[in-house]
Structure formats: C-alpha cells, structure tokens
Amino acid sequence: MKLTAPQTPGRRVEAVVLGASAGGIEALFTLLNGLPALWSLPVVIVLHVPENHESHLAEIFSDRLHLPVHEAADKMPLASGHVYFAPPGYHLSIERDRRFSLSCEPPVHFSRPSIDVLMASAADAYGPALAGMLLTGANEDGAEGLRRIQQAGGITAVQDPNEAQISVMPQAAIALHSPDHVLPLRELRALLLQLESTHAH
Amino acid sequence: MEAIYLKYSYDFRNYTVASQKRRVLHALAQLGLPSISALQEKVLRDPALFGRLLQYLTIPVSEMFRDPAYFLALRQHVVPILHTYPSVKVWVAGCSTGEEVFSLAILLREEGLLSRTQIYATDINPASLEKARQGIFPIEAVRGYTANYQRAGGRSSFSDYYTAAYEAARFDPSLCADVIFADHSLATDSVFAETQLVSCRNVLIYFNRELQDRALGLFHESLCHRGFLGLGSKESIDFSSYSQRFDAHSKPERIYRKAT
Ligand SMILES: C[S@@+](CC[C@H](N)C(=O)[O-])C[C@H]1O[C@@H](n2cnc3c(N)ncnc32)[C@H](O)[C@@H]1O
C-alpha cells in the first residue's frame, strides 16, 4: 500500500470514475462538495440505488455542487467538467468513442448499475488516462473494476476502510489488488484536485 | 463478428463494444473455452454451438409491464388515438421472450382494442421467439409483475390472465391468438408493414449510433402518418440523426410521434 502519489511524469488523467454503495451519498458530498466551478475532468459515478425507483441523485447533487450534474443517458458524450450518475436499473458503460452506453444485462454482485461494469469499460476506453476511486459500501462490487483500471495503467484509490461508514467495499478492493492510494475522504479530495491540475497542464 | 456474419448472416458488427465484450467473455467462461479464437473456430464449424452463443449475445431478459409509467402513458395518451383507426397494427421489435407482447395484449384487451389489432412481435433469437409463443413464465416472476400491472392502470385482477401450474404461469392463449411472432433483424432486414405503434424497448442500447440510426429509419418508414414510437425508460432519440423527425408525445415515458 503506497500512501503517496505515484505520479509518473507526463501522465495525464482524462476522466474519473467513482463507485460507492451504502453510506455513499454523504461520502460523495464530502468528496465533491466545493470542487471548483472550472473543474475540467468528467466524473462518472455509480452509486448503488434500488431498481425500479426514479433516481433523484442528479438533482440532489446538482443543488449542492457548482458543477453540471446529469443522469447519464445512452450514447451521451462525456463532457469535461460534468458529473454523471448511472441511472437505476441499467448498467452504465463507457465506449471507446467516449460516449455512454446502457445495458440491462443481469445484475453483477446483486447490483444494476454495477461499479465493476462501469470501471472495466472505462479502463478499456481510457487506459492509463483514468482514475478510479472506491468508497464506502457493504458489498464487493468495484474491487474487480479497480483492478482492471490498474491493469490498464490507470490510477486507483480506495477510501480508508477505518474511515468508511461501511468498510466491506474498500476492504474487498484492497484484498484483490494493491491500490495506488488508500486515503480518508479529505485526502482523496486533495488527490482529485491534484489529478485535475496535472490534467490541465 | 465478421466471421459470424459471413457464415450465419447474424450481424453483430455494429453493437456497442463494452457490453459485447462482456457477453463474449461470459460465453467463453460458460462454454469452457480458453480464448476468443478457440470460440471462433468452434462456432464456425458447429451451428449448434452458434445457437448457444446466440443466447449469450442477445441478452434475453425481459419483464411484464416493465416501467409501469410507460404502459400507463400508452393507456392514457396513445390508446384514445389508436381508437380512431378502423384497424391497428403494432410492432414489438426485439420482443425477446414475449413479456412485453403479453403486457401490451392485456392492455389492448382492457381498452377494447385487441380484437382489431394485429401485433407483430419480432426478434433475432429463435429460442426467445419460441418461448414467447408459448406464453409460459415462471410463477415467481409473475407474482412480482402484479404490482407493475396495477401501477400501469390495470383494470382487472392480474391473475385473471393466467393459470398457475407448479412453478409456471400459462397466459391465456387467446391474448396472443392474433400475434405474429417472426424472425426479423433490425440490423439486416427491411420494413414489412405499415404500423400505428412501434414499441422497441431495451434493444437500441445495444447498438452503436450507426445501427441505432438504421433501426430508427425502419421505424420511421414503418409508422403511418403521426404514428407512435415507444422506447425504454432510459432511451431517447436525442443522440441519433432522427431527433428532429419525431416529436415527444409523453416525454418522461419516452413515447414519440412521427413528425410531419
Ligand atoms: C433486453 S431484450 C429486450 C426485451 C423487451 N423489449 C423488454 O424491453 O423487456 C433485447 C432483445 O433484443 C433482441 N435483439 C438484439 N439484436 C437485435 C436485432 N438486430 N434485431 C432485432 N432484435 C434484436 C435480442 O434478441 C433480445 O431479445
């Protein structure tokens, strides 16, 4: 486990994918609240929510963040500085042309949307230019996805399980691969800002 | 995919890459094959194996009255207009195992339209079409559909439509007496009838934009003047070249109308 940034020179992150489950809304608020309005990376989030319910995540976060927030739609292009939530009841993927696609394949780890599905597809689409972060949650979704990001050369970060409201999800990721960072939310936030500054240059 | 197209005329070349990759990897694991090239070699020599692969490639998942708001909107905002036609044709494209077809048939019967409606239910997966024809669904799932049915404005008791035996529910065959189930691919086939309503849900998401445009072109061509197009709850025509050629009729429920 490394706790410092393994910045390879010239590495530029072009997108961030986030996964969270139980306790995730609060964690995401802490992580994203007050990101600068000129923030330039697309941020794509899978937060586990019950199927068959309209999700109001995009509205809730749009009220709290200074960034444009959307529910990701099929074939919608990812735009820099925008925040996207996966819609309930569908898996969300990122295609190589950097547009979203949806799918109603069966749930993965009892979840649809699944964090693994988003992260694995994003790893294929962005390769080393991707950062993935996994936060609090009570299941094992996301561990495999983060590993795929790392294999593709991207940066992986996990919320410190001691701080996470529910530690199962971060712990599963740590058990499966060695994340580049294991940090409390405040420092994950600092990492996000740092990723963005390398991106902007 | 190129090889499958040449040998079996199933065209998966313009499907979205991310979910296709997952399905091929899943198929490899299930069929116990080590690599994509091994799969390719076997599939090209063995049509029965291709049939099995098709089950993985096509995602045959469906539900009755999935997204009740869609069916409620059809009932409230589309059926009254369909009533103005002497006869009605409905095309359910990508009908999978038939849940959507039975849902529509029940709705149309309750609205007094079924007897003068011709439904065409099409899909590329012959095994799914066969299941759809039988109209037998697992009883556990059917119990869950009851709440959907009620939220979709159901006028009766859902259990009136099926007889339960052991683990299965057999739907009233008269519901589908006039349904034509047929093999039809949105990727390779052309339009076969003029319709008043096309329902194509959770199918276009598997297509890239080029293939989405092809499918939307078929729907546009098939629909009569001011005909209706219903899509899945998270699908839209916004990112296709047909965005100007349909008007939103019930926007949140993804029901569009052919523009004039
Ligand atoms: C997820 S199911 C949707 C079932 C149903 N419409 C629903 O929403 O519940 C997708 C279906 O699309 C069918 N399909 C895939 N490619 C197709 C094509 N080129 N032409 C017609 N159907 C296709 C598959 O066989 C599968 O049954």
Side-chain angles (χ1 to χ4, degrees):
Chain A
M1 246 181 270
K2 288 163 275 176
L3 289 168
T4 48
Q7 290 286 338
T8 15
R11 168 135 92 181
R12 292 174 65 183
V13 163
E14 289 168 28
V16 180
V17 287
L18 299 177
S21 188
I25 294 199
E26 273 171 59
L28 284 168
F29 272 138
T30 313
L31 184 69
L32 302 176
N33 210 354
L35 283 184
L38 286 176
W39 170 260
S40 68
L41 292 168
V43 178
V44 187
I45 303 169
V46 166
L47 178 62
H48 291 159
V49 283
E51 291 197 12
N52 298 326
H53 284 269
E54 276 305 299
S55 150
H56 297 288
L57 289 172
E59 289 148 53
I60 296 166
F61 277 81
S62 166
D63 291 343
R64 297 274 291 265
L65 308 183
H66 305 292
L67 301 170
V69 186
H70 319 264
E71 183 170 280
D74 187 56
K75 306 299 174 293
M76 181 188 263
L78 280 82
S80 60
H82 290 231
V83 177
Y84 302 89
F85 280 92
Y90 289 79
H91 291 303
L92 179 67
S93 301
I94 302 175
E95 296 291 325
R96 279 153 223 241
D97 63 1
R98 301 189 176 182
R99 287 174 181 266
F100 291 112
S101 68
L102 300 179
S103 114
C104 36
E105 288 154 79
V108 174
H109 295 295
F110 308 103
S111 310
R112 193 172 58 184
S114 139
I115 302 167
D116 279 343
V117 166
L118 170 70
M119 288 184 166
S121 67
D124 285 344
Y126 285 92
L130 180 72
M133 293 187 179
L134 195 63
L135 313 179
T136 165
N139 65 24
E140 308 207 332
D141 194 19
E144 174 60 24
L146 268 196
R147 183 167 74 159
R148 292 279 294 274
I149 292 176
Q150 191 171 59
Q151 282 168 348
I155 297 170
T156 62
V158 170
Q159 184 180 8
D160 185 345
N162 298 317
E163 183 212 52
Q165 195 175 322
I166 301 186
S167 62
V168 178
M169 202 148 91
Q171 240 143 17
I174 294 166
L176 196 68
H177 82 305
S178 301
D180 300 315
H181 309 269
V182 178
L183 299 169
L185 284 176
R186 287 166 49 108
E187 288 170 50
L188 283 178
R189 198 183 140 80
L191 175 66
L192 263 185
L193 291 165
Q194 186 194 337
L195 292 174
E196 205 236 357
S197 66
T198 40
H199 164 79
H201 291 151
Chain B
M1 292 304 151
E2 195 67 45
I4 284 178
Y5 176 59
L6 293 174
K7 164 102 190 188
Y8 296 107
S9 309
Y10 277 88
D11 192 354
F12 287 105
R13 293 173 301 175
N14 282 313
Y15 284 53
T16 56
V17 174
S19 83
Q20 199 168 55
K21 178 176 173 184
R22 283 194 297 280
R23 279 170 283 147
V24 171
L25 292 176
H26 182 65
L28 283 183
Q30 298 292 312
L31 299 170
L33 291 166
S35 67
I36 295 192
S37 53
L39 175 68
Q40 172 164 339
E41 201 190 301
K42 282 220 155 92
V43 157
L44 292 183
R45 278 194 280 114
D46 180 359
L49 186 67
F50 174 68
R52 290 176 68 195
L53 178 63
L54 200 56
Q55 304 316 310
Y56 297 108
L57 291 181
T58 54
I59 314 189
V61 282
S62 189
E63 272 171 47
M64 292 186 84
F65 293 99
R66 177 170 187 174
D67 306 314
Y70 172 76
F71 290 93
L72 188 61
L74 284 181
R75 207 186 273 274
Q76 294 176 334
H77 307 304
V78 176
V79 160
I81 300 168
L82 295 182
H83 263 294
T84 65
Y85 296 98
S87 69
V88 177
K89 288 181 176 155
V90 175
W91 178 13
V92 185
C95 68
S96 193
T97 40
E99 288 83 340
E100 188 180 352
V101 182
F102 278 88
S103 309
L104 277 170
I106 289 170
L107 188 156
L108 292 170
R109 174 170 289 174
E110 291 184 353
E111 300 303 322
L113 261 180
L114 188 62
S115 56
R116 55 190 163 103
T117 302
Q118 171 74 65
I119 299 178
Y120 301 96
T122 62
D123 203 281
I124 55 166
N125 184 333
S128 295
L129 284 171
E130 190 46 44
K131 279 195 189 154
R133 274 189 201 101
Q134 289 171 357
I136 298 171
F137 304 109
I139 189 75
E140 265 324 297
V142 169
R143 287 202 190 100
Y145 300 154
T146 306
N148 280 358
Y149 165 76
Q150 282 156 357
R151 284 165 63 207
R155 296 183 191 274
S156 183
S157 160
F158 195 47
S159 57
D160 293 349
Y161 295 106
Y162 63 85
T163 42
Y166 305 105
E167 294 302 296
R170 179 165 200 263
F171 277 74
D172 176 358
S174 72
L175 285 168
C176 279
D178 288 323
V179 177
I180 295 176
F181 291 97
D183 196 316
H184 179 279
S185 170
L186 298 167
T188 51
D189 294 326
S190 49
V191 167
F192 52 85
E194 187 186 68
T195 57
Q196 281 73 42
L197 166 66
V198 173
S199 191
C200 181
R201 308 171 66 227
N202 302 305
V203 180
L204 296 181
I205 47 178
Y206 300 107
F207 297 173
N208 70 13
R209 285 194 301 150
E210 200 181 324
L211 187 50
Q212 284 192 346
D213 278 350
R214 185 186 197 276
L216 288 167
L218 295 182
F219 302 153
H220 195 268
E221 198 186 327
S222 168
L223 285 170
C224 67
H225 176 70
R226 302 294 283 146
F228 294 95
L229 171 64
L231 301 180
S233 67
K234 301 296 170 193
E235 299 178 85
S236 81
I237 53 170
D238 293 355
F239 302 101
S240 78
S241 53
Y242 280 83
S243 57
Q244 305 298 316
R245 301 177 71 181
F246 289 96
D247 305 323
H249 186 65
S250 312
K251 195 144 201 236
E253 284 74 39
R254 303 295 198 263
I255 298 174
Y256 298 88
R257 210 168 175 188
K258 191 167 163 176
T260 42

